[in-house]
Amino acid sequence: MRSRDLTFHHPVAFWLGCAMVIAGVLAHLPMLAMAAPMHFRLAGMPMDNLMLAGMALVPLGVLLAGYGLMPRLQQMRRTLHPDREPLPFHAADHVPLNREHWKLVAVLTIALAVDVMKPATIGFVMPGLSAEYGISGATAGWLALSALTGTVVGSIVWGRLGDLFGRRATILLSALMFMGTAICGAMPSFGWNLVMCFMMGAAAGGMLPITFTLMAETIPTRHRGWLLVALGGVGTSAGYLLASGAAALFEPAWSWRSLWLLNLPTGALIILLNRYIPESPRFLALAGLEDQARAVLQRFSGGVAPVASAPACDAAHAPSHAPARTSMRQLLRGRHAAISWGLMVCAVAWGLANFGFLLWLPANLVALGIDAQASAALLARSAIIALPGIGVVVWAYQRWSSIRSLVLFIALTALSLLFFFAIALVDLRSTALTTAGTVALLLCISGVVATLIPYAAEIYPVHLRSTGAGLIAGGSKFGGILGALIGVAGLFEHFMLSALLLALPMVLAGWMLARSGIETRGHGLEAIQQALSE
């Protein structure tokens, strides 16, 4: 049975919804084409009737496609039958990687790259957008704030939807929203750009935790850790490269609006690749769809159904569909509370460091006596030197320890921040020292985020896994919002103070996770839950 048969309840509704979204986006192009002689400037122009009709088609198409993706609700209310043979997750976790696994890895890497590309595009859009609408850079900064707010909301909401309606359905609906937000490229007012940017952020925030969740629940135990970390590293790097490449290729001739219009083909690419995205067998088992779960397990076992050799999955002992409030209470007050709070503190601290301290680092390097051009060159050189460090992160997570690797990179990030504090304190304006500190900070911050979400995708039970990963991903974006607001308040202009204050929550997160975190390397997802319950 093909994977697409396991998720689409009403395939006609889904594909009709996709067609409506595409038609809604295309309805904006005639007005944009009319503005071609003015280099596609639409600021202040009234919307025509075709454009208004297109704006109505997009949300209606998303709703219709969402209905088509919804699972069979009567079956979703079922629980696993206790008298049925346990599903062979343990045996399936020990099969070698095969073509089906690698196809899934390739498609999810594309999905994650497209996901990262969307918010990364904002930096390339803002100069042209500011010039067309005649707004200041500070006002244009609301675009980034709107997108970050959307990612926080999207991570939490879409994470919960992934546990309610399935990982695959949520990925496809997120891609459909990407397609719909392409109309941002034809908006004649800055206000509409803010709305669309929020929606784009919501779709992007939801894609990230779901891809990691699906990967964790499908890849064999022996390869799960390194592939999760590599997925984050490769997908993120590819996303930034796609954003910068698209800006260089399309923006000069087609204006900044072309970068938003790319949401249509990139989102459609994920939709077209849907046949290579299976539903998680663990989610299907949780939903009571045991026959479909066995079919997916057989597909990823090389066509030979593995023989069960371990007890039933944790889904058999989990509530089928707890309310969202109950799920959040389980994460923050139940047996996972200590780990959840440690991961949340880490996520917020990472967001503060990445979207706050790093963004202000070029200006602060100038304050340390390094001229602006040399500062940019130093950062670029540091980023190139730190890039191979992702291999170190993958090795540590896979070969050494998952939780110790996370704690180690948290601690090293705190030390890197304190290193900058010491440089400013004793006034060591050395290019060599500054380069060393920047390389260390970039590597360690990359190490934290590369291990944080994979660990969150492994540590939670199947009925909370997507919700938990979404909560932690949302925390990292919330830290980014705090970083942006603190930057506006001027704290990051005080180099020593900001470095010291950001090191403190990193130290706190490392201490919390060192106490409450458990090892996931080499352990099946069901074994991890059994260890947590002891």
Side-chain angles (χ1 to χ4, degrees):
M1 183 182 296
R2 289 190 181 277
S3 60
R4 60 176 178 272
D5 300 324
L6 303 178
T7 301
F8 291 177
H9 185 196
H10 300 290
V12 174
F14 173 75
W15 291 113
L16 181 59
C18 290
M20 290 174 64
V21 171
I22 294 173
V25 174
L26 295 180
H28 289 70
L29 298 185
M31 187 172 175
L32 187 64
M34 290 175 60
M38 300 178 291
H39 198 56
F40 305 100
R41 294 177 62 92
L42 295 175
M45 295 178 63
M47 295 185 186
D48 60 19
N49 292 332
L50 185 60
M51 182 179 287
L52 292 173
M55 289 188 68
L57 279 174
V58 168
L60 289 175
V62 171
L63 291 174
L64 184 59
Y67 169 73
L69 285 170
M70 287 182 66
R72 300 162 178 81
L73 295 182
Q74 291 299 322
Q75 291 174 302
M76 293 293 291
R77 295 189 183 102
R78 296 170 50 201
T79 56
L80 292 170
H81 297 292
D83 57 340
R84 296 192 66 170
E85 180 185 354
L87 292 174
F89 290 135
H90 178 78
D93 277 343
H94 292 82
V95 301
L97 291 176
N98 55 46
R99 289 181 59 189
E100 295 300 323
H101 292 118
W102 285 116
K103 284 191 289 187
L104 175 64
V105 169
V107 173
L108 292 184
T109 301
I110 293 172
L112 187 59
V114 170
D115 177 72
V116 172
M117 176 187 176
K118 303 310 173 187
T121 299
I122 294 175
F124 300 99
V125 162
M126 286 175 63
L129 178 143
S130 301
E132 178 170 343
Y133 291 117
I135 56 178
S136 65
T139 302
W142 284 97
L143 197 72
L145 186 60
S146 176
L148 278 174
T149 304
T151 59
V152 174
V153 174
S155 295
I156 296 173
V157 172
W158 291 91
R160 185 58 194 151
L161 289 177
D163 282 333
L164 287 173
F165 301 128
R167 294 38 166 145
R168 179 173 181 261
T170 313
I171 288 174
L172 296 180
L173 196 57
S174 178
L176 196 64
M177 285 186 64
F178 280 154
M179 294 167 58
T181 55
I183 66 175
C184 191
M187 291 295 102
S189 69
F190 179 63
W192 277 113
N193 274 274
L194 291 179
V195 173
M196 288 294 103
C197 210
F198 174 86
M199 299 304 297
M200 180 271 295
M207 180 83 76
L208 176 68
I210 305 299
T211 53
F212 280 101
T213 298
L214 179 57
M215 179 80 86
E217 293 179 341
T218 312
I219 297 298
T221 299
R222 188 159 61 94
H223 301 283
R224 187 182 66 228
W226 76 267
L227 276 175
L228 283 172
V229 177
L231 172 68
V234 175
T236 301
S237 300
Y240 281 107
L241 287 174
L242 285 173
S244 58
L249 187 61
F250 298 111
E251 192 170 6
W254 304 93
S255 88
W256 61 272
R257 295 182 178 274
S258 61
L259 301 184
W260 288 139
L261 293 174
L262 286 175
N263 288 4
L264 178 62
T266 51
L269 176 63
I270 299 174
I271 298 293
L272 293 175
L273 292 173
N274 80 85
R275 62 177 298 175
Y276 302 111
I277 305 175
E279 183 52 88
S280 161
R282 287 175 167 89
F283 172 81
L284 290 169
L286 175 66
L289 304 175
E290 291 140 316
D291 292 337
Q292 290 90 331
R294 291 178 188 277
V296 176
L297 286 174
Q298 184 176 6
R299 171 183 169 185
F300 280 87
S301 300
V304 179
V307 179
S309 57
C313 63
D314 59 293
H317 310 289
S320 179
H321 285 287
R325 183 180 301 176
T326 302
S327 298
M328 287 299 176
R329 186 177 294 120
Q330 286 179 282
L331 288 174
L332 300 176
R333 298 184 185 179
R335 66 182 184 179
H336 296 88
I339 293 178
S340 294
W341 283 111
L343 293 174
M344 276 296 292
V345 172
C346 175
V348 174
W350 178 87
L352 282 167
N354 189 68
F355 295 102
F357 190 84
L358 275 182
L359 286 180
W360 285 83
L361 186 57
N364 284 320
L365 290 179
V366 173
L368 286 176
I370 301 174
D371 65 77
Q373 186 175 358
S375 171
L378 186 150
L379 287 171
R381 185 167 61 251
S382 300
I384 293 172
I385 296 173
L387 190 59
I390 192 65
V392 177
V393 179
V394 171
W395 179 90
Y397 196 90
Q398 176 69 13
R399 296 294 183 182
W400 179 43
S401 167
S402 57
I403 184 61
R404 291 176 184 173
S405 297
L406 177 57
V407 172
L408 173 64
F409 284 107
I410 292 172
L412 291 176
T413 300
L415 288 175
S416 299
L417 290 167
L418 292 176
F419 180 77
F420 278 104
F421 171 79
I423 288 178
L425 180 66
V426 298
D427 196 22
L428 293 176
R429 302 185 180 184
S430 166
T431 301
L433 283 177
T434 306
T435 301
T438 305
V439 170
L441 183 60
L442 289 174
L443 174 59
C444 296
I445 281 183
S446 299
V448 170
V449 74
T451 54
L452 178 65
I453 305 301
Y455 188 78
E458 292 181 300
I459 203 67
Y460 293 112
V462 64
H463 70 290
L464 295 174
R465 184 166 292 123
S466 179
T467 303
L471 179 66
I472 304 308
S476 67
K477 304 305 188 298
F478 179 71
I481 294 176
L482 288 180
L485 295 176
I486 292 173
V488 171
L491 176 63
F492 291 113
E493 295 177 8
H494 304 283
F495 194 38
M496 288 175 52
L497 179 62
S498 61
L500 179 62
L501 291 180
L502 290 186
L504 295 179
M506 280 289 178
V507 172
L508 176 61
W511 175 76
M512 294 173 71
L513 289 172
R515 291 191 58 189
S516 61
I518 68 169
E519 185 58 58
T520 63
R521 184 185 71 86
H523 298 292
L525 298 179
E526 288 69 46
I528 293 170
Q529 294 313 304
Q530 185 177 356
L532 278 171
S533 63
E534 293 175 352

